[in-house]
Amino acid sequence: MKAIPDILIGLLICLFLTVMQVAAQSPQEALPSQNPGATQGAAQTPGRGGERRPGVFGKLTAVHEQSVEITRQDGSVVTVKLSASTQFRKDRESAKLSDFKVGDTIFVRGEENADHTWTAEVIGERPNGGSGGPGGGQGGGPGGGRPAGVLGQDYVFGEVKAIDAPKLSILRPDSVMQTVELNEETSLRKGRDSITMADIQAGDHIMVRGGMANNVFQPKSVMVISPEQWKRFQESGMGGAGGQTAKPPQDNSKPQNPPEPPH
């Protein structure tokens, strides 16, 4: 009978020692399970940060088979190399290189090389042809700095004086009247809302972005400027010529008089 209490005492001692051993090992086992997660989080942070960097922004000035050239706002030219993995975006949809043409305002995300060229991961068209549009970010127009480019060639802004669909006659701040003819590819917006040409009225102030083709201004986007934005526009001192200006392109539909021979 004495052997039974001894066996019970032995079992209790073994159980106690087992519990103590498990309690001592549990914090040590939990520590390695946390470290890999912390390591992964630290590794992912630079990747996410890399995706947010601005990359290259400017006007597309040359298109080659394996590269493109971009002229930035400071006048410097950057060569951007293309690869099989380069993605193209236009109007927030997938596109291809042939969808872009010289004169487009684009952005590039990728990696800068040692020779200061870039290898593109993504090439996309900049919305509204600038950095933010009217009332937007830097260089966007009213409330956001002076628009980039040449007035009359890269953009047209001012008051709508006459509408003869699809043409708009715009009185620019430099007192020049310029007629812009919209087309099927021209996007029209008022704030964040899409509109039609019927929503534009004489007396509205608008910002038109585009480029020159065959000596004719081709509009890509039209933004109706609110009265508050136009007021800020005038207060910013851009009610005049507004930087570089260009005369309206000639109307090629009218016959041109031949030059007179020298006397």
Side-chain angles (χ1 to χ4, degrees), residues 2 6-7 18 22 29 37 40 45 56 67 107 143 152 168-169 193 197 205 246 257:
K2 184 179 179 182
D6 292 341
I7 293 174
T18 301
V22 171
E29 293 175 353
Q40 290 176 1
T45 301
V56 183
S67 66
F107 66 87
L168 298 173
S169 296
D193 299 325
M197 191 170 184
H205 294 96
N257 295 327

Side-chain angles (χ1 to χ4, degrees), residues 16 22 26 54 71 98 107 125 135 163 187 200 212 237 239 242 244 263:
F16 176 79
V22 171
S26 295
T71 300
S98 59
F107 66 87
E125 184 178 33
I163 301 175
S187 64
I200 301 177
M212 300 296 294
Q244 298 183 26
H263 295 291

Side-chain angles (χ1 to χ4, degrees), residues 25-205:
Q25 291 178 351
S26 295
Q28 297 176 359
E29 293 175 353
L31 185 59
S33 65
Q34 294 176 356
N35 285 343
T39 303
Q40 290 176 1
Q44 291 173 356
T45 301
R48 291 195 300 268
E51 293 173 359
R52 289 196 298 267
R53 64 182 183 178
V56 183
F57 164 68
K59 182 173 291 188
L60 184 62
T61 49
V63 179
H64 308 292
E65 185 176 352
Q66 298 295 331
S67 66
V68 299
E69 293 180 5
I70 299 176
T71 300
R72 294 189 287 200
Q73 290 183 332
D74 61 2
S76 61
V77 178
V78 179
T79 298
V80 178
K81 299 178 180 179
L82 309 178
S83 67
S85 61
T86 301
Q87 301 179 23
F88 300 93
R89 306 285 296 178
K90 198 166 188 178
D91 296 329
R92 299 184 180 180
E93 296 182 358
S94 297
K96 52 186 180 297
L97 180 60
S98 59
D99 293 325
F100 297 85
K101 59 182 180 296
V102 172
D104 286 347
T105 302
I106 64 174
F107 66 87
V108 174
R109 293 182 186 143
E111 295 291 336
E112 186 174 9
N113 304 311
D115 58 356
H116 302 296
T117 63
W118 281 70
T119 299
E121 296 176 1
V122 179
I123 293 181
E125 184 178 33
R126 192 73 173 184
N128 295 326
S131 50
Q138 183 180 5
R146 191 179 304 280
V150 179
L151 174 61
Q153 292 184 357
D154 300 300
Y155 65 95
V156 179
F157 66 95
E159 182 181 350
V160 178
K161 287 297 186 179
I163 301 175
D164 182 15
K167 298 180 180 180
L168 298 173
S169 296
I170 304 169
L171 179 62
R172 302 182 337 200
D174 57 355
S175 300
V176 172
M177 185 74 71
Q178 184 164 350
T179 298
V180 174
E181 184 171 354
L182 310 186
N183 54 62
E184 295 180 354
E185 298 181 355
T186 306
S187 64
L188 295 91
R189 302 189 68 84
K190 186 174 184 178
R192 296 184 178 181
D193 299 325
S194 296
I195 60 174
T196 65
M197 191 170 184
D199 297 313
I200 301 177
Q201 301 177 359
D204 285 346
H205 294 96

